[in-house]
Every structure is written in C-alpha cells, then in structure tokens.
Amino acid sequence: MLVIEGVQTFYGAVHALKGVDLKVGTGEIVALIGANGAGKSTLLMTICGNPKPRYGRILFDGDDIVGIPTHLLVRRGLAHAPEGRRIFPRMSVVENLRLGAVAADPAHFSSDLERVFGLFPRLKERRDQRGGTLSGGEQQMLAIARALMSRPRVLLLDEPSLGLAPLVVKQIFAIIEEINKRDGVTVLLVEQNAFHALRLAHRGYVLVNGQIAMTGTGQDLLANEQIRSAYLEGGHGR
Amino acid sequence: MNAVARVKDAALAALVAAVLALPLLGFATIDTGGPLGISTRFDYVAYAALAVFVGRLVFMALVDLWRERQMDSAREAAHDPGKPDRMAQIGKLADRWLLPLMIGFAIVLPFLPFADRTVVDLATVVLIYVMLGWGLNIVVGLAGLLDLGYVAFYAVGAYSYALLQMHFGFGFWEALPLAGLFAAFFGVLLGFPVLRLRGDYLAIVTLGFGEIVRIILLNWQKVTGGPAGISGIQRPSFFGFPFSADPPAGKTAFHDLLGIEYSSIHRIIFLYYLILLLALITSLFTARIRRLPVGRAWEALREDEIACKALGINPTNTKLTAFAIGAMFGGFAGCFFATRQGFISPESFTFIESAVILAIVVLGGMGSQAGIVLAATLLTLLPEIAREFALFRMLAFGMAMVLIMVWRPQGLLAHREPTIKLKPKGAS
Ligand SMILES: Nc1ncnc2c1ncn2[C@@H]1O[C@H](COP(=O)(O)OP(=O)(O)OP(=O)(O)O)[C@@H](O)[C@H]1O
Ligand SMILES: [Mg+2]
C-alpha cells in the first residue's frame, strides 16, 4: 500500500534520511523505532511531501506521490498526526474534529463524529471545551481522532504516547489496535515506546542515523538482544 | 523583586534618564547679543533623574502587584479550566447582546435630540473605522496574518471610485462592487509574495506594500493627480435624487421627493446610513463566513499551519482568500470615503492610518466584533476629545493605548465563540 524506496532527505546541508526502504502492507500496523534524531519524524513528513525527498520514490497505491502537495495527499486517504499533537488550542473539540474532516465528504460528518466519539468517549464529554485546555492525554486522543475524521486508509502516527502516563499509553495503543482491526486502517507508527509499539505492530523497522538498521516482525524485534539493550533497557516489560 | 533589586533597577533607569536629559535639558542656548551662548542647567538634569527614579520605583511596584493578581487569577482559572476569564466572558456576552444594542443605537442616532451635524459626521468617521476594523479583522484576527499595509486597499477602493466616476461616469452603486474587486485583486497581489512569510517578516512586507501603493499614487501624476489628488468627485445622490437645493434640470431633488424643506444635513444623514449599511454587511458576512469551511480554515491557519496542511487544508488558497476578502472590505470603505469627501489625495492613506486600524483590531480583542466597535469609537473620539490638550493630544493617545495594552494584553473583549454548536450535552 505504501512503498518507500531509497528515500534521501536533506535539511539544507543536514542529511537526515540516507536512503530508506520501507513497506507498509494493506491492513498492517508497522512500527518505526529509533533514537532521538534518527529521522523518524522526518520520514513521516517526507511521506507527506514536506520536506520533499531529494532522491528516491514513495508509492501510495502504486502511484508515485513525490511532489504532490501535502493537503492533496489527505484527500487520497493518507492522514498524518504530526509530532507534538498540534491541535488547535483556541478551538473546541468539535471544531478541531470538524477541521479534521475538511478533506472528507461533509455528508459523513455526523456519523464520523459519532464513530470517533465511540472510540474516545472522553472527547465526547469534552466536546465544547477548548483544545488548549485539554489534558495531554486528551489532546493526544483529539489529535488521533482528528486525523481519523478524514477517513484515512493509511494513518501515520508520530509518537502518540509522548508524555503520557502508562495507563493512558495503554488506552491509546488499544485504540490504535481497534482502529486497525475494526476499521481496517493501515497504521505506520513512530514510537519511542518501543516495547508497546513492537508488541502491537505486525512488523517493525529500526531507524539508525537516517538508515534502516533492522527489520522484522514485532515479535522478532522484541526478542532481539541488540534491540533489547538499545531501546528496551530500563524500560518496560521483561 | 526585593528591595535592593528594585532600587538598583530604579537607579539604572535614573542613569539612563540623566544621560538623555544631559543634552536635552542640561544645556540651553541663550541670546548673548552676538553668537549664541550656552548656559548649563544641571539642576534640571538632577530633577529629571530623580523623577524617573521615583517614578520607576512606583511603576515597578505597581507592575509587580498587578502580576501577582494576574497569577492569582491564573491559578484560580487553572483549578477550573472550563472557566474563561471575566472580560472574555463579557466579550462573549458583548457579541451576543452589546452588538445588537450598538446597532440599534446606531440606527436611531441621527434622530436623537443631541445629534447635530457634528455628531453625525463624527459617527460617520467612527463607522468608517469600524468597517475598516472589521475588514482587517478578517486578515489579522481570523487568519492571523499581520498586515501593516491595510490602508493600501482603502486607497485602491477610493481611487477606483474616483477614477471610474471621473472617466466613465460610474455612480456609487455601480462603482462599489468594482472598487471591492480591485481591492481584492490587490489583496491577492500582496498575498502571493508573502505566502511563505509569517509574523514579523510578513508585517514588514505588508508595510512596504502599503507604502508602495501610496508612493505610486503620489507619483503617477497623469492618472492619480499626484499629491494634488482628485477633487470634484461626485457626491452621492439618493438613488438618483440629488441632495441639492437647486437640482440640475430634469432631476428631482431629495427634499422635493419627500416634500420636505431642503437641509444640508440630509446628505450627511444619508452618508451615515450608507456606511452603517456597509459596516453591517461586513459584520454579517464575517459572522457567516466563520461558519463556512473557508472561515474555519482561516482560523485553523492562525492556530497551526503545519496541522492545517496535515489535515488537507490548502494553505495557499486559504491565505489568498483571507487577503482578498479582507482587502475587498477595505475597498468598499475606500469607495465610501471617496464619495463622502469628494476629494482624495495620497495624504489620507499614510502608514498612520494602517497603524490606527490595526490598533483598533488589536485593542478590540482579535476577533471580537463588539470589541472592535468599542476600540474604533475610543480611538476616533479620544483624539477629538483630547484636542483640548492641543500639544499633548498624541501623547495622551499613546498613553491610553499603552495603558490598555498593559491592562488587557489580549484586547478589550478578547474571546472566541465556537462556530459549531452541537445538540446539548447528553442528547444525541
Ligand atoms: N527543519 C529542520 N532543519 C534542519 N534539521 C532538521 C530539521 N528537522 C529535523 N532536523 C534534523 O534531522 C534529524 C532527524 O530529525 P527527526 O525529527 O526526524 O528525528 P526523530 O527521529 O523524529 O527524533 P525524535 O525521536 O527526537 O522525535 C535530526 O538530526 C534533526 O536535527
Ligand atoms: Mg520525531
């Protein structure tokens, strides 16, 4: 569904991605893990066309999407919940969701709203509260819900667990799984929380310094000694 | 701040004052009969430094006190995040109640006993600024694009009408849409080069744009009449019935139409209602468009451009429509200005106008329609009232603005009404 081939991205002189190959199959959850500054966010943003890759191809449904402006990709079914939530702080929850539905058929709005409220009952309770006054976890829920409002087939999530309490992280991951299982949304998930991400994901990639260092099923990566020491040390599980 | 820090801070301010006062106050030229002599007045410098020292102490104490109170109320607000601040709540009520009240008052104003010529004229000026404020509010308040050259569109509207009228004999109502269109076109023209700019950079470019338009008007003698401007612009008629004591042959004058005595105030009242109508259209349009996808996209753009793109909003179109529509209302106002004055020149479209309009939007509390009315009234009437103080007029004006911004950095009636209301909680 999403195929990335030899993608290289530069920020001026900074060589952020040095030839990344990655595939996401229809209906999969794929986790992308890596250290700070490895280029995970850059990869997601490159997929969305901002920045553009200097070399390489990005295929979505078989079409090369390099050079297509970000806002048009959403209409093709590619949604991106960017790093740091980026909800609209002065707007209410419902208004945020309404803006998420810009690219979707307005006729679906109320049914879609009910659907995301079904996934996130907390948001329903706070529908008229301003986005900026939500708690961090609620804001993250809103960011995901907002991305879902465009009815994506592929959802790119950048660190949905950032700064959240373990219990809320669990909830968020359960919801990602539900979106994937029930609605068949394909997910490419960037995470620092490698343990949770790899347990949830069908497959995973490890990004080191702008290159894919390792790939395999979630289980394999979880069992891998190197990964355990590099990304799971002192963390959870075991 | 503790006492020592306070004194240090005040001493520093006094030092700066002394340095500044030395050349300004410390020396005076005296007439010695021949060449100018210089006398020294170092005692004045000392007084100035002392005054600043004391003033700074008091000021900082007040600021600290005020900060503390802010913190307290912030802490209170943090306990109950659903509770917005009091003035914002007033702002919310203001748009619901105050605005209709103001409109009602505006409608009856010319018939109130105290409403003589001067009052109606002044009210017309206030309404021009209200309309300009509401127009600029679309760009600055809603879309969050800081525009320091808004007066350019006002000028484009005014000159459009003047030229269309002079060369093609267009009447006001025929020229109005065209003036809006031209201004909107200029809005897009400004929008294109600044698409990638934000904040201060955007402000600088828009400021330059405003000046460019003014300088073109000043120098393109053949078309615009240069500094002399364009005079003899047709004054408005009441849908073809002129306001005139002795109308041209074949025309019925307005007072004959109604069968009343001729009075020069008729035209003034008519102009007043004209701008009231235009301003109301601006207001209704803004209220309506906020609920449409474009308007929502403007506000989203103000909040977070990256998120907008990620959600499928086209930032280019969104910005350009904001510039175009904001400019259009500026153009309408300009068209009105030209017909009211009967004479326009680049003089009327200087940067200070842009600054005043922007001040109205910011003081009003970005986005609040009633707030803009208050601010426009304040900023137009204040200089009039302060005229008594002659020399100190602009000083008082500046002071008032600084005080308001210290008191309410977010604007007089800052608040933002959600554009979507769902069924009440628990329903559905
Ligand atoms: N706009 C930019 N300009 C210049 N360099 C950038 C820019 N954005 C990112 N970089 C650099 O690119 C590299 C990859 O950054 P990226 O944000 O993709 O990392 P990341 O893997 O998402 O890290 P984290 O886990 O901390 O979010 C970093 O070295 C970063 O400094
Ligand atoms: Mg990142």
Side-chain angles (χ1 to χ4, degrees), chain A residues 58-100:
Chain A
I58 301 170
L59 303 177
F60 180 48
D61 284 339
D63 301 333
D64 194 340
I65 56 169
V66 171
I68 296 182
T70 312
H71 64 270
L72 293 181
L73 291 176
V74 185
R75 281 160 221 271
R76 294 185 170 219
L78 186 72
H80 178 202
E83 188 169 15
R85 298 167 198 151
R86 293 191 168 271
I87 55 160
F88 302 118
R90 303 216 296 166
M91 298 193 177
S92 72
V93 168
V94 180
E95 283 175 309
N96 268 276
L97 294 174
R98 166 66 92 179
L99 282 159

Side-chain angles (χ1 to χ4, degrees), chain A residues 75 86 89-91 95, chain B residues 299 303-304 312 416 419 422:
Chain A
R75 281 160 221 271
R86 293 191 168 271
R90 303 216 296 166
M91 298 193 177
E95 283 175 309
Chain B
E299 290 196 71
E303 309 260 297
D304 196 323
R416 193 188 157 277
T419 55
L422 292 181

Side-chain angles (χ1 to χ4, degrees), chain B residues 165 203 261 362:
Chain B
Q165 199 269 312
E261 199 59 26
V362 175

Side-chain angles (χ1 to χ4, degrees), chain A residues 35-42 83-84 158-159 190 192:
Chain A
N36 290 125
K40 307 180 297 295
S41 301
T42 303
E83 188 169 15
D158 200 339
E159 303 204 24
V190 164
Q192 288 292 342

Side-chain angles (χ1 to χ4, degrees), chain B residues 146-159:
Chain B
L146 188 50
D147 185 350
L148 290 182
Y150 191 65
V151 77
F153 309 125
Y154 188 40
V156 167
Y159 275 85

Side-chain angles (χ1 to χ4, degrees), chain A residues 84-87 89 93 122-123 125-126 129-143 160 162-165 168 171-172, chain B residues 78 81-82:
Chain A
R85 298 167 198 151
R86 293 191 168 271
I87 55 160
V93 168
R122 271 290 263 290
L123 294 181
E125 287 165 29
R126 309 193 163 258
Q129 193 173 322
R130 291 206 281 171
T133 63
L134 294 174
S135 80
E138 290 161 352
Q139 290 191 8
Q140 188 60 59
M141 293 178 191
L142 181 56
L162 190 73
L164 303 185
V168 185
Q171 275 178 14
I172 297 262

